[in-house]
Amino acid sequence: VLSLIWNEAVESVQNKDIKDFSIDLDTFLRLSYRLDDMMDEFQDALKSLTDQDVEEFYRSEFKTLTGGGELLTYDSLLKWPFLQDTLESSPAFTQEVLFELWAALPKKLSDQGESAIDETTFLQLNDSIDEATMGSEDEDDEEAGEDNDDVATNVLQ
C-alpha cells in the first residue's frame, strides 16, 4: 500500500527510479495527507470487520495451504506467509511458542503418516495465535501508548 501511495505522491516525476528519488516539501505534504486518508479508510474498514469475516479468511487460508485437502501439517503451516509475517512482527510470538501451541492441538495422521490438523483445529490454533500476539501487543501498546490489531489488518489485505 505504501508503494502505491508513494507512486501517487510523486506521479509528476517521470523517468526516475522512484525508490531512489527524494521528495520536496510539497510532495511530502501530499504524501502525508494521502497516508492520513488511507489510515482513516483502513480504520473504518477494521471497524466493520466481523468475526464471520475473520473466520472466512482463515477457512480460505486453510484451503489454500492444504490445496483443498482436509489436513494441514506443521511444515505446511510454517510456509504460510501470514504466519511468517506474524512471527516477524511480534517479538514475543516465536517459533517456539508456535510449536508449543501446535503440540497442544489434537492431531490426525495425514496420508503420508505425518501429524496434521483439520480445519476446525486450524481455527482454534489461530485463536491461540491471536491471543498470544495480542498479549505481546498489549504490552507494547502500554509502552508506546497506541492500539494495534495485526490479525484484522491481515484479514483486510
mmCIF file with all atom_site columns, all heavy atoms in Angstrom, residues 1 38-50 53-54 57-58 61 82 149-157:
data_model
loop_
_atom_site.group_PDB
_atom_site.id
_atom_site.type_symbol
_atom_site.label_atom_id
_atom_site.label_alt_id
_atom_site.label_comp_id
_atom_site.label_asym_id
_atom_site.label_entity_id
_atom_site.label_seq_id
_atom_site.pdbx_PDB_ins_code
_atom_site.Cartn_x
_atom_site.Cartn_y
_atom_site.Cartn_z
_atom_site.occupancy
_atom_site.B_iso_or_equiv
_atom_site.pdbx_formal_charge
_atom_site.auth_seq_id
_atom_site.auth_comp_id
_atom_site.auth_asym_id
_atom_site.auth_atom_id
_atom_site.pdbx_PDB_model_num
ATOM 1   N N   . VAL A 1 1   ? 0.828   -1.186  0.000  1.00 0.00 ? 1   VAL A N   1
ATOM 2   C CA  . VAL A 1 1   ? 0.000   0.000   0.000  1.00 0.00 ? 1   VAL A CA  1
ATOM 3   C C   . VAL A 1 1   ? 0.873   1.250   0.000  1.00 0.00 ? 1   VAL A C   1
ATOM 4   O O   . VAL A 1 1   ? 0.602   2.203   -0.719 1.00 0.00 ? 1   VAL A O   1
ATOM 5   C CB  . VAL A 1 1   ? -0.954  -0.003  1.222  1.00 0.00 ? 1   VAL A CB  1
ATOM 6   C CG1 . VAL A 1 1   ? -1.695  1.298   1.354  1.00 0.00 ? 1   VAL A CG1 1
ATOM 7   C CG2 . VAL A 1 1   ? -1.915  -1.146  1.143  1.00 0.00 ? 1   VAL A CG2 1
ATOM 8   N N   . MET A 1 38  ? -5.678  7.301   3.897  1.00 0.00 ? 38  MET A N   1
ATOM 9   C CA  . MET A 1 38  ? -5.665  5.841   3.812  1.00 0.00 ? 38  MET A CA  1
ATOM 10  C C   . MET A 1 38  ? -5.823  5.206   5.194  1.00 0.00 ? 38  MET A C   1
ATOM 11  O O   . MET A 1 38  ? -6.540  4.217   5.346  1.00 0.00 ? 38  MET A O   1
ATOM 12  C CB  . MET A 1 38  ? -4.373  5.340   3.165  1.00 0.00 ? 38  MET A CB  1
ATOM 13  C CG  . MET A 1 38  ? -4.272  5.602   1.680  1.00 0.00 ? 38  MET A CG  1
ATOM 14  S SD  . MET A 1 38  ? -5.500  4.711   0.710  1.00 0.00 ? 38  MET A SD  1
ATOM 15  C CE  . MET A 1 38  ? -4.979  3.033   0.985  1.00 0.00 ? 38  MET A CE  1
ATOM 16  N N   . MET A 1 39  ? -5.193  5.790   6.189  1.00 0.00 ? 39  MET A N   1
ATOM 17  C CA  . MET A 1 39  ? -5.322  5.256   7.545  1.00 0.00 ? 39  MET A CA  1
ATOM 18  C C   . MET A 1 39  ? -6.762  5.401   8.048  1.00 0.00 ? 39  MET A C   1
ATOM 19  O O   . MET A 1 39  ? -7.291  4.489   8.696  1.00 0.00 ? 39  MET A O   1
ATOM 20  C CB  . MET A 1 39  ? -4.340  5.946   8.502  1.00 0.00 ? 39  MET A CB  1
ATOM 21  C CG  . MET A 1 39  ? -2.885  5.607   8.221  1.00 0.00 ? 39  MET A CG  1
ATOM 22  S SD  . MET A 1 39  ? -2.535  3.832   8.216  1.00 0.00 ? 39  MET A SD  1
ATOM 23  C CE  . MET A 1 39  ? -2.843  3.428   9.911  1.00 0.00 ? 39  MET A CE  1
ATOM 24  N N   . ASP A 1 40  ? -7.400  6.513   7.737  1.00 0.00 ? 40  ASP A N   1
ATOM 25  C CA  . ASP A 1 40  ? -8.807  6.695   8.116  1.00 0.00 ? 40  ASP A CA  1
ATOM 26  C C   . ASP A 1 40  ? -9.680  5.646   7.436  1.00 0.00 ? 40  ASP A C   1
ATOM 27  O O   . ASP A 1 40  ? -10.555 5.038   8.069  1.00 0.00 ? 40  ASP A O   1
ATOM 28  C CB  . ASP A 1 40  ? -9.297  8.098   7.754  1.00 0.00 ? 40  ASP A CB  1
ATOM 29  C CG  . ASP A 1 40  ? -8.691  9.174   8.636  1.00 0.00 ? 40  ASP A CG  1
ATOM 30  O OD1 . ASP A 1 40  ? -8.148  8.845   9.709  1.00 0.00 ? 40  ASP A OD1 1
ATOM 31  O OD2 . ASP A 1 40  ? -8.765  10.361  8.235  1.00 0.00 ? 40  ASP A OD2 1
ATOM 32  N N   . GLU A 1 41  ? -9.461  5.420   6.139  1.00 0.00 ? 41  GLU A N   1
ATOM 33  C CA  . GLU A 1 41  ? -10.220 4.408   5.404  1.00 0.00 ? 41  GLU A CA  1
ATOM 34  C C   . GLU A 1 41  ? -9.961  3.021   5.984  1.00 0.00 ? 41  GLU A C   1
ATOM 35  O O   . GLU A 1 41  ? -10.881 2.211   6.121  1.00 0.00 ? 41  GLU A O   1
ATOM 36  C CB  . GLU A 1 41  ? -9.832  4.429   3.926  1.00 0.00 ? 41  GLU A CB  1
ATOM 37  C CG  . GLU A 1 41  ? -10.264 5.670   3.186  1.00 0.00 ? 41  GLU A CG  1
ATOM 38  C CD  . GLU A 1 41  ? -9.658  5.764   1.792  1.00 0.00 ? 41  GLU A CD  1
ATOM 39  O OE1 . GLU A 1 41  ? -9.149  4.737   1.274  1.00 0.00 ? 41  GLU A OE1 1
ATOM 40  O OE2 . GLU A 1 41  ? -9.688  6.861   1.213  1.00 0.00 ? 41  GLU A OE2 1
ATOM 41  N N   . PHE A 1 42  ? -8.736  2.769   6.327  1.00 0.00 ? 42  PHE A N   1
ATOM 42  C CA  . PHE A 1 42  ? -8.352  1.480   6.881  1.00 0.00 ? 42  PHE A CA  1
ATOM 43  C C   . PHE A 1 42  ? -9.025  1.255   8.235  1.00 0.00 ? 42  PHE A C   1
ATOM 44  O O   . PHE A 1 42  ? -9.560  0.172   8.503  1.00 0.00 ? 42  PHE A O   1
ATOM 45  C CB  . PHE A 1 42  ? -6.827  1.423   7.009  1.00 0.00 ? 42  PHE A CB  1
ATOM 46  C CG  . PHE A 1 42  ? -6.283  0.066   7.289  1.00 0.00 ? 42  PHE A CG  1
ATOM 47  C CD1 . PHE A 1 42  ? -6.386  -0.942  6.351  1.00 0.00 ? 42  PHE A CD1 1
ATOM 48  C CD2 . PHE A 1 42  ? -5.673  -0.212  8.487  1.00 0.00 ? 42  PHE A CD2 1
ATOM 49  C CE1 . PHE A 1 42  ? -5.886  -2.196  6.604  1.00 0.00 ? 42  PHE A CE1 1
ATOM 50  C CE2 . PHE A 1 42  ? -5.165  -1.464  8.749  1.00 0.00 ? 42  PHE A CE2 1
ATOM 51  C CZ  . PHE A 1 42  ? -5.276  -2.462  7.807  1.00 0.00 ? 42  PHE A CZ  1
ATOM 52  N N   . GLN A 1 43  ? -9.023  2.270   9.081  1.00 0.00 ? 43  GLN A N   1
ATOM 53  C CA  . GLN A 1 43  ? -9.672  2.168   10.396 1.00 0.00 ? 43  GLN A CA  1
ATOM 54  C C   . GLN A 1 43  ? -11.166 1.922   10.244 1.00 0.00 ? 43  GLN A C   1
ATOM 55  O O   . GLN A 1 43  ? -11.752 1.128   10.979 1.00 0.00 ? 43  GLN A O   1
ATOM 56  C CB  . GLN A 1 43  ? -9.415  3.433   11.235 1.00 0.00 ? 43  GLN A CB  1
ATOM 57  C CG  . GLN A 1 43  ? -8.008  3.549   11.747 1.00 0.00 ? 43  GLN A CG  1
ATOM 58  C CD  . GLN A 1 43  ? -7.633  2.440   12.708 1.00 0.00 ? 43  GLN A CD  1
ATOM 59  O OE1 . GLN A 1 43  ? -8.470  1.793   13.315 1.00 0.00 ? 43  GLN A OE1 1
ATOM 60  N NE2 . GLN A 1 43  ? -6.340  2.196   12.840 1.00 0.00 ? 43  GLN A NE2 1
ATOM 61  N N   . ASP A 1 44  ? -11.808 2.596   9.289  1.00 0.00 ? 44  ASP A N   1
ATOM 62  C CA  . ASP A 1 44  ? -13.234 2.378   9.035  1.00 0.00 ? 44  ASP A CA  1
ATOM 63  C C   . ASP A 1 44  ? -13.485 0.938   8.612  1.00 0.00 ? 44  ASP A C   1
ATOM 64  O O   . ASP A 1 44  ? -14.460 0.314   9.048  1.00 0.00 ? 44  ASP A O   1
ATOM 65  C CB  . ASP A 1 44  ? -13.750 3.346   7.963  1.00 0.00 ? 44  ASP A CB  1
ATOM 66  C CG  . ASP A 1 44  ? -13.816 4.777   8.446  1.00 0.00 ? 44  ASP A CG  1
ATOM 67  O OD1 . ASP A 1 44  ? -13.765 5.016   9.680  1.00 0.00 ? 44  ASP A OD1 1
ATOM 68  O OD2 . ASP A 1 44  ? -13.907 5.687   7.585  1.00 0.00 ? 44  ASP A OD2 1
ATOM 69  N N   . ALA A 1 45  ? -12.615 0.411   7.764  1.00 0.00 ? 45  ALA A N   1
ATOM 70  C CA  . ALA A 1 45  ? -12.766 -0.974  7.314  1.00 0.00 ? 45  ALA A CA  1
ATOM 71  C C   . ALA A 1 45  ? -12.586 -1.952  8.473  1.00 0.00 ? 45  ALA A C   1
ATOM 72  O O   . ALA A 1 45  ? -13.309 -2.944  8.583  1.00 0.00 ? 45  ALA A O   1
ATOM 73  C CB  . ALA A 1 45  ? -11.770 -1.279  6.196  1.00 0.00 ? 45  ALA A CB  1
ATOM 74  N N   . LEU A 1 46  ? -11.635 -1.669  9.360  1.00 0.00 ? 46  LEU A N   1
ATOM 75  C CA  . LEU A 1 46  ? -11.418 -2.536  10.517 1.00 0.00 ? 46  LEU A CA  1
ATOM 76  C C   . LEU A 1 46  ? -12.634 -2.555  11.439 1.00 0.00 ? 46  LEU A C   1
ATOM 77  O O   . LEU A 1 46  ? -12.988 -3.592  11.992 1.00 0.00 ? 46  LEU A O   1
ATOM 78  C CB  . LEU A 1 46  ? -10.188 -2.084  11.309 1.00 0.00 ? 46  LEU A CB  1
ATOM 79  C CG  . LEU A 1 46  ? -8.832  -2.385  10.696 1.00 0.00 ? 46  LEU A CG  1
ATOM 80  C CD1 . LEU A 1 46  ? -7.725  -1.780  11.552 1.00 0.00 ? 46  LEU A CD1 1
ATOM 81  C CD2 . LEU A 1 46  ? -8.623  -3.871  10.536 1.00 0.00 ? 46  LEU A CD2 1
ATOM 82  N N   . LYS A 1 47  ? -13.271 -1.416  11.601 1.00 0.00 ? 47  LYS A N   1
ATOM 83  C CA  . LYS A 1 47  ? -14.447 -1.333  12.468 1.00 0.00 ? 47  LYS A CA  1
ATOM 84  C C   . LYS A 1 47  ? -15.600 -2.173  11.943 1.00 0.00 ? 47  LYS A C   1
ATOM 85  O O   . LYS A 1 47  ? -16.409 -2.674  12.716 1.00 0.00 ? 47  LYS A O   1
ATOM 86  C CB  . LYS A 1 47  ? -14.881 0.123   12.631 1.00 0.00 ? 47  LYS A CB  1
ATOM 87  C CG  . LYS A 1 47  ? -13.926 0.935   13.467 1.00 0.00 ? 47  LYS A CG  1
ATOM 88  C CD  . LYS A 1 47  ? -14.347 2.395   13.520 1.00 0.00 ? 47  LYS A CD  1
ATOM 89  C CE  . LYS A 1 47  ? -13.298 3.216   14.237 1.00 0.00 ? 47  LYS A CE  1
ATOM 90  N NZ  . LYS A 1 47  ? -13.581 4.643   14.168 1.00 0.00 ? 47  LYS A NZ  1
ATOM 91  N N   . SER A 1 48  ? -15.687 -2.327  10.633 1.00 0.00 ? 48  SER A N   1
ATOM 92  C CA  . SER A 1 48  ? -16.797 -3.079  10.050 1.00 0.00 ? 48  SER A CA  1
ATOM 93  C C   . SER A 1 48  ? -16.498 -4.578  9.927  1.00 0.00 ? 48  SER A C   1
ATOM 94  O O   . SER A 1 48  ? -17.365 -5.350  9.535  1.00 0.00 ? 48  SER A O   1
ATOM 95  C CB  . SER A 1 48  ? -17.157 -2.506  8.675  1.00 0.00 ? 48  SER A CB  1
ATOM 96  O OG  . SER A 1 48  ? -16.116 -2.733  7.763  1.00 0.00 ? 48  SER A OG  1
ATOM 97  N N   . LEU A 1 49  ? -15.290 -5.003  10.278 1.00 0.00 ? 49  LEU A N   1
ATOM 98  C CA  . LEU A 1 49  ? -14.892 -6.396  10.177 1.00 0.00 ? 49  LEU A CA  1
ATOM 99  C C   . LEU A 1 49  ? -15.607 -7.225  11.247 1.00 0.00 ? 49  LEU A C   1
ATOM 100 O O   . LEU A 1 49  ? -15.597 -6.874  12.424 1.00 0.00 ? 49  LEU A O   1
ATOM 101 C CB  . LEU A 1 49  ? -13.379 -6.495  10.363 1.00 0.00 ? 49  LEU A CB  1
ATOM 102 C CG  . LEU A 1 49  ? -12.693 -7.777  9.995  1.00 0.00 ? 49  LEU A CG  1
ATOM 103 C CD1 . LEU A 1 49  ? -12.862 -8.065  8.510  1.00 0.00 ? 49  LEU A CD1 1
ATOM 104 C CD2 . LEU A 1 49  ? -11.220 -7.677  10.337 1.00 0.00 ? 49  LEU A CD2 1
ATOM 105 N N   . THR A 1 50  ? -16.234 -8.328  10.857 1.00 0.00 ? 50  THR A N   1
ATOM 106 C CA  . THR A 1 50  ? -16.964 -9.176  11.799 1.00 0.00 ? 50  THR A CA  1
ATOM 107 C C   . THR A 1 50  ? -16.171 -10.444 12.104 1.00 0.00 ? 50  THR A C   1
ATOM 108 O O   . THR A 1 50  ? -15.228 -10.793 11.379 1.00 0.00 ? 50  THR A O   1
ATOM 109 C CB  . THR A 1 50  ? -18.332 -9.580  11.220 1.00 0.00 ? 50  THR A CB  1
ATOM 110 O OG1 . THR A 1 50  ? -18.109 -10.430 10.080 1.00 0.00 ? 50  THR A OG1 1
ATOM 111 C CG2 . THR A 1 50  ? -19.153 -8.362  10.825 1.00 0.00 ? 50  THR A CG2 1
ATOM 112 N N   . ASP A 1 53  ? -16.196 -12.612 9.141  1.00 0.00 ? 53  ASP A N   1
ATOM 113 C CA  . ASP A 1 53  ? -15.201 -12.245 8.135  1.00 0.00 ? 53  ASP A CA  1
ATOM 114 C C   . ASP A 1 53  ? -13.844 -12.872 8.460  1.00 0.00 ? 53  ASP A C   1
ATOM 115 O O   . ASP A 1 53  ? -13.156 -13.385 7.577  1.00 0.00 ? 53  ASP A O   1
ATOM 116 C CB  . ASP A 1 53  ? -15.040 -10.728 8.046  1.00 0.00 ? 53  ASP A CB  1
ATOM 117 C CG  . ASP A 1 53  ? -16.267 -10.009 7.539  1.00 0.00 ? 53  ASP A CG  1
ATOM 118 O OD1 . ASP A 1 53  ? -17.027 -10.604 6.742  1.00 0.00 ? 53  ASP A OD1 1
ATOM 119 O OD2 . ASP A 1 53  ? -16.476 -8.844  7.953  1.00 0.00 ? 53  ASP A OD2 1
ATOM 120 N N   . VAL A 1 54  ? -13.472 -12.816 9.735  1.00 0.00 ? 54  VAL A N   1
ATOM 121 C CA  . VAL A 1 54  ? -12.185 -13.375 10.164 1.00 0.00 ? 54  VAL A CA  1
ATOM 122 C C   . VAL A 1 54  ? -12.193 -14.887 9.968  1.00 0.00 ? 54  VAL A C   1
ATOM 123 O O   . VAL A 1 54  ? -11.236 -15.461 9.443  1.00 0.00 ? 54  VAL A O   1
ATOM 124 C CB  . VAL A 1 54  ? -11.897 -13.004 11.634 1.00 0.00 ? 54  VAL A CB  1
ATOM 125 C CG1 . VAL A 1 54  ? -10.644 -13.713 12.144 1.00 0.00 ? 54  VAL A CG1 1
ATOM 126 C CG2 . VAL A 1 54  ? -11.746 -11.498 11.786 1.00 0.00 ? 54  VAL A CG2 1
ATOM 127 N N   . PHE A 1 57  ? -11.827 -15.760 6.380  1.00 0.00 ? 57  PHE A N   1
ATOM 128 C CA  . PHE A 1 57  ? -10.439 -15.565 5.970  1.00 0.00 ? 57  PHE A CA  1
ATOM 129 C C   . PHE A 1 57  ? -9.607  -16.797 6.318  1.00 0.00 ? 57  PHE A C   1
ATOM 130 O O   . PHE A 1 57  ? -8.879  -17.337 5.480  1.00 0.00 ? 57  PHE A O   1
ATOM 131 C CB  . PHE A 1 57  ? -9.855  -14.320 6.644  1.00 0.00 ? 57  PHE A CB  1
ATOM 132 C CG  . PHE A 1 57  ? -8.358  -14.210 6.526  1.00 0.00 ? 57  PHE A CG  1
ATOM 133 C CD1 . PHE A 1 57  ? -7.765  -13.827 5.336  1.00 0.00 ? 57  PHE A CD1 1
ATOM 134 C CD2 . PHE A 1 57  ? -7.537  -14.501 7.608  1.00 0.00 ? 57  PHE A CD2 1
ATOM 135 C CE1 . PHE A 1 57  ? -6.381  -13.729 5.217  1.00 0.00 ? 57  PHE A CE1 1
ATOM 136 C CE2 . PHE A 1 57  ? -6.159  -14.410 7.506  1.00 0.00 ? 57  PHE A CE2 1
ATOM 137 C CZ  . PHE A 1 57  ? -5.584  -14.023 6.304  1.00 0.00 ? 57  PHE A CZ  1
ATOM 138 N N   . TYR A 1 58  ? -9.714  -17.261 7.573  1.00 0.00 ? 58  TYR A N   1
ATOM 139 C CA  . TYR A 1 58  ? -8.929  -18.415 7.999  1.00 0.00 ? 58  TYR A CA  1
ATOM 140 C C   . TYR A 1 58  ? -9.334  -19.689 7.257  1.00 0.00 ? 58  TYR A C   1
ATOM 141 O O   . TYR A 1 58  ? -8.487  -20.503 6.906  1.00 0.00 ? 58  TYR A O   1
ATOM 142 C CB  . TYR A 1 58  ? -9.023  -18.622 9.511  1.00 0.00 ? 58  TYR A CB  1
ATOM 143 C CG  . TYR A 1 58  ? -8.241  -17.604 10.300 1.00 0.00 ? 58  TYR A CG  1
ATOM 144 C CD1 . TYR A 1 58  ? -8.789  -16.967 11.404 1.00 0.00 ? 58  TYR A CD1 1
ATOM 145 C CD2 . TYR A 1 58  ? -6.925  -17.279 9.957  1.00 0.00 ? 58  TYR A CD2 1
ATOM 146 C CE1 . TYR A 1 58  ? -8.070  -16.039 12.137 1.00 0.00 ? 58  TYR A CE1 1
ATOM 147 C CE2 . TYR A 1 58  ? -6.199  -16.356 10.678 1.00 0.00 ? 58  TYR A CE2 1
ATOM 148 C CZ  . TYR A 1 58  ? -6.771  -15.742 11.778 1.00 0.00 ? 58  TYR A CZ  1
ATOM 149 O OH  . TYR A 1 58  ? -6.049  -14.830 12.493 1.00 0.00 ? 58  TYR A OH  1
ATOM 150 N N   . GLU A 1 61  ? -7.701  -19.473 3.915  1.00 0.00 ? 61  GLU A N   1
ATOM 151 C CA  . GLU A 1 61  ? -6.266  -19.722 4.042  1.00 0.00 ? 61  GLU A CA  1
ATOM 152 C C   . GLU A 1 61  ? -5.990  -21.214 4.221  1.00 0.00 ? 61  GLU A C   1
ATOM 153 O O   . GLU A 1 61  ? -5.043  -21.754 3.638  1.00 0.00 ? 61  GLU A O   1
ATOM 154 C CB  . GLU A 1 61  ? -5.680  -18.928 5.211  1.00 0.00 ? 61  GLU A CB  1
ATOM 155 C CG  . GLU A 1 61  ? -5.681  -17.422 4.989  1.00 0.00 ? 61  GLU A CG  1
ATOM 156 C CD  . GLU A 1 61  ? -4.765  -16.999 3.861  1.00 0.00 ? 61  GLU A CD  1
ATOM 157 O OE1 . GLU A 1 61  ? -3.541  -17.143 3.992  1.00 0.00 ? 61  GLU A OE1 1
ATOM 158 O OE2 . GLU A 1 61  ? -5.289  -16.525 2.834  1.00 0.00 ? 61  GLU A OE2 1
ATOM 159 N N   . PHE A 1 82  ? 1.157   -15.412 6.057  1.00 0.00 ? 82  PHE A N   1
ATOM 160 C CA  . PHE A 1 82  ? 0.561   -14.674 7.175  1.00 0.00 ? 82  PHE A CA  1
ATOM 161 C C   . PHE A 1 82  ? 1.252   -15.028 8.486  1.00 0.00 ? 82  PHE A C   1
ATOM 162 O O   . PHE A 1 82  ? 1.557   -14.163 9.304  1.00 0.00 ? 82  PHE A O   1
ATOM 163 C CB  . PHE A 1 82  ? -0.946  -14.963 7.262  1.00 0.00 ? 82  PHE A CB  1
ATOM 164 C CG  . PHE A 1 82  ? -1.602  -14.385 8.476  1.00 0.00 ? 82  PHE A CG  1
ATOM 165 C CD1 . PHE A 1 82  ? -1.845  -13.027 8.560  1.00 0.00 ? 82  PHE A CD1 1
ATOM 166 C CD2 . PHE A 1 82  ? -1.971  -15.194 9.532  1.00 0.00 ? 82  PHE A CD2 1
ATOM 167 C CE1 . PHE A 1 82  ? -2.448  -12.478 9.691  1.00 0.00 ? 82  PHE A CE1 1
ATOM 168 C CE2 . PHE A 1 82  ? -2.572  -14.661 10.659 1.00 0.00 ? 82  PHE A CE2 1
ATOM 169 C CZ  . PHE A 1 82  ? -2.815  -13.295 10.735 1.00 0.00 ? 82  PHE A CZ  1
ATOM 170 N N   . ASP A 1 149 ? -3.943  -3.914  15.819 1.00 0.00 ? 149 ASP A N   1
ATOM 171 C CA  . ASP A 1 149 ? -4.717  -5.127  15.583 1.00 0.00 ? 149 ASP A CA  1
ATOM 172 C C   . ASP A 1 149 ? -4.212  -5.808  14.324 1.00 0.00 ? 149 ASP A C   1
ATOM 173 O O   . ASP A 1 149 ? -4.799  -5.672  13.263 1.00 0.00 ? 149 ASP A O   1
ATOM 174 C CB  . ASP A 1 149 ? -6.199  -4.782  15.467 1.00 0.00 ? 149 ASP A CB  1
ATOM 175 C CG  . ASP A 1 149 ? -7.069  -6.020  15.510 1.00 0.00 ? 149 ASP A CG  1
ATOM 176 O OD1 . ASP A 1 149 ? -6.532  -7.150  15.517 1.00 0.00 ? 149 ASP A OD1 1
ATOM 177 O OD2 . ASP A 1 149 ? -8.292  -5.856  15.514 1.00 0.00 ? 149 ASP A OD2 1
ATOM 178 N N   . ASP A 1 150 ? -3.088  -6.574  14.440 1.00 0.00 ? 150 ASP A N   1
ATOM 179 C CA  . ASP A 1 150 ? -2.457  -7.194  13.271 1.00 0.00 ? 150 ASP A CA  1
ATOM 180 C C   . ASP A 1 150 ? -3.327  -8.242  12.594 1.00 0.00 ? 150 ASP A C   1
ATOM 181 O O   . ASP A 1 150 ? -3.281  -8.385  11.384 1.00 0.00 ? 150 ASP A O   1
ATOM 182 C CB  . ASP A 1 150 ? -1.119  -7.835  13.657 1.00 0.00 ? 150 ASP A CB  1
ATOM 183 C CG  . ASP A 1 150 ? -0.012  -6.815  13.818 1.00 0.00 ? 150 ASP A CG  1
ATOM 184 O OD1 . ASP A 1 150 ? -0.214  -5.664  13.381 1.00 0.00 ? 150 ASP A OD1 1
ATOM 185 O OD2 . ASP A 1 150 ? 1.025   -7.150  14.382 1.00 0.00 ? 150 ASP A OD2 1
ATOM 186 N N   . VAL A 1 151 ? -4.095  -8.995  13.371 1.00 0.00 ? 151 VAL A N   1
ATOM 187 C CA  . VAL A 1 151 ? -4.914  -10.030 12.744 1.00 0.00 ? 151 VAL A CA  1
ATOM 188 C C   . VAL A 1 151 ? -5.932  -9.402  11.817 1.00 0.00 ? 151 VAL A C   1
ATOM 189 O O   . VAL A 1 151 ? -6.070  -9.781  10.664 1.00 0.00 ? 151 VAL A O   1
ATOM 190 C CB  . VAL A 1 151 ? -5.591  -10.901 13.815 1.00 0.00 ? 151 VAL A CB  1
ATOM 191 C CG1 . VAL A 1 151 ? -6.574  -11.865 13.170 1.00 0.00 ? 151 VAL A CG1 1
ATOM 192 C CG2 . VAL A 1 151 ? -4.546  -11.665 14.614 1.00 0.00 ? 151 VAL A CG2 1
ATOM 193 N N   . ALA A 1 152 ? -6.653  -8.401  12.305 1.00 0.00 ? 152 ALA A N   1
ATOM 194 C CA  . ALA A 1 152 ? -7.642  -7.740  11.463 1.00 0.00 ? 152 ALA A CA  1
ATOM 195 C C   . ALA A 1 152 ? -6.963  -7.060  10.275 1.00 0.00 ? 152 ALA A C   1
ATOM 196 O O   . ALA A 1 152 ? -7.490  -7.053  9.171  1.00 0.00 ? 152 ALA A O   1
ATOM 197 C CB  . ALA A 1 152 ? -8.430  -6.724  12.278 1.00 0.00 ? 152 ALA A CB  1
ATOM 198 N N   . THR A 1 153 ? -5.790  -6.529  10.496 1.00 0.00 ? 153 THR A N   1
ATOM 199 C CA  . THR A 1 153 ? -5.050  -5.894  9.413  1.00 0.00 ? 153 THR A CA  1
ATOM 200 C C   . THR A 1 153 ? -4.776  -6.871  8.290  1.00 0.00 ? 153 THR A C   1
ATOM 201 O O   . THR A 1 153 ? -4.988  -6.577  7.126  1.00 0.00 ? 153 THR A O   1
ATOM 202 C CB  . THR A 1 153 ? -3.722  -5.319  9.953  1.00 0.00 ? 153 THR A CB  1
ATOM 203 O OG1 . THR A 1 153 ? -4.007  -4.380  10.977 1.00 0.00 ? 153 THR A OG1 1
ATOM 204 C CG2 . THR A 1 153 ? -2.917  -4.675  8.843  1.00 0.00 ? 153 THR A CG2 1
ATOM 205 N N   . ASN A 1 154 ? -4.317  -8.064  8.635  1.00 0.00 ? 154 ASN A N   1
ATOM 206 C CA  . ASN A 1 154 ? -4.022  -9.058  7.613  1.00 0.00 ? 154 ASN A CA  1
ATOM 207 C C   . ASN A 1 154 ? -5.261  -9.594  6.936  1.00 0.00 ? 154 ASN A C   1
ATOM 208 O O   . ASN A 1 154 ? -5.203  -9.979  5.776  1.00 0.00 ? 154 ASN A O   1
ATOM 209 C CB  . ASN A 1 154 ? -3.205  -10.204 8.207  1.00 0.00 ? 154 ASN A CB  1
ATOM 210 C CG  . ASN A 1 154 ? -1.772  -9.829  8.372  1.00 0.00 ? 154 ASN A CG  1
ATOM 211 O OD1 . ASN A 1 154 ? -1.095  -9.579  7.391  1.00 0.00 ? 154 ASN A OD1 1
ATOM 212 N ND2 . ASN A 1 154 ? -1.305  -9.744  9.597  1.00 0.00 ? 154 ASN A ND2 1
ATOM 213 N N   . VAL A 1 155 ? -6.376  -9.630  7.628  1.00 0.00 ? 155 VAL A N   1
ATOM 214 C CA  . VAL A 1 155 ? -7.622  -10.086 7.006  1.00 0.00 ? 155 VAL A CA  1
ATOM 215 C C   . VAL A 1 155 ? -8.005  -9.151  5.880  1.00 0.00 ? 155 VAL A C   1
ATOM 216 O O   . VAL A 1 155 ? -8.484  -9.560  4.839  1.00 0.00 ? 155 VAL A O   1
ATOM 217 C CB  . VAL A 1 155 ? -8.746  -10.175 8.054  1.00 0.00 ? 155 VAL A CB  1
ATOM 218 C CG1 . VAL A 1 155 ? -10.100 -10.398 7.383  1.00 0.00 ? 155 VAL A CG1 1
ATOM 219 C CG2 . VAL A 1 155 ? -8.462  -11.281 9.046  1.00 0.00 ? 155 VAL A CG2 1
ATOM 220 N N   . LEU A 1 156 ? -7.761  -7.865  6.064  1.00 0.00 ? 156 LEU A N   1
ATOM 221 C CA  . LEU A 1 156 ? -8.157  -6.871  5.071  1.00 0.00 ? 156 LEU A CA  1
ATOM 222 C C   . LEU A 1 156 ? -7.200  -6.761  3.902  1.00 0.00 ? 156 LEU A C   1
ATOM 223 O O   . LEU A 1 156 ? -7.527  -6.204  2.883  1.00 0.00 ? 156 LEU A O   1
ATOM 224 C CB  . LEU A 1 156 ? -8.295  -5.494  5.724  1.00 0.00 ? 156 LEU A CB  1
ATOM 225 C CG  . LEU A 1 156 ? -9.475  -5.378  6.679  1.00 0.00 ? 156 LEU A CG  1
ATOM 226 C CD1 . LEU A 1 156 ? -9.408  -4.051  7.418  1.00 0.00 ? 156 LEU A CD1 1
ATOM 227 C CD2 . LEU A 1 156 ? -10.780 -5.513  5.937  1.00 0.00 ? 156 LEU A CD2 1
ATOM 228 N N   . GLN A 1 157 ? -6.002  -7.295  4.010  1.00 0.00 ? 157 GLN A N   1
ATOM 229 C CA  . GLN A 1 157 ? -5.023  -7.176  2.926  1.00 0.00 ? 157 GLN A CA  1
ATOM 230 C C   . GLN A 1 157 ? -5.318  -8.108  1.807  1.00 0.00 ? 157 GLN A C   1
ATOM 231 O O   . GLN A 1 157 ? -5.864  -9.107  1.870  1.00 0.00 ? 157 GLN A O   1
ATOM 232 C CB  . GLN A 1 157 ? -3.617  -7.416  3.441  1.00 0.00 ? 157 GLN A CB  1
ATOM 233 C CG  . GLN A 1 157 ? -3.173  -6.308  4.348  1.00 0.00 ? 157 GLN A CG  1
ATOM 234 C CD  . GLN A 1 157 ? -1.772  -6.528  4.869  1.00 0.00 ? 157 GLN A CD  1
ATOM 235 O OE1 . GLN A 1 157 ? -1.221  -7.606  4.781  1.00 0.00 ? 157 GLN A OE1 1
ATOM 236 N NE2 . GLN A 1 157 ? -1.205  -5.507  5.433  1.00 0.00 ? 157 GLN A NE2 1
#
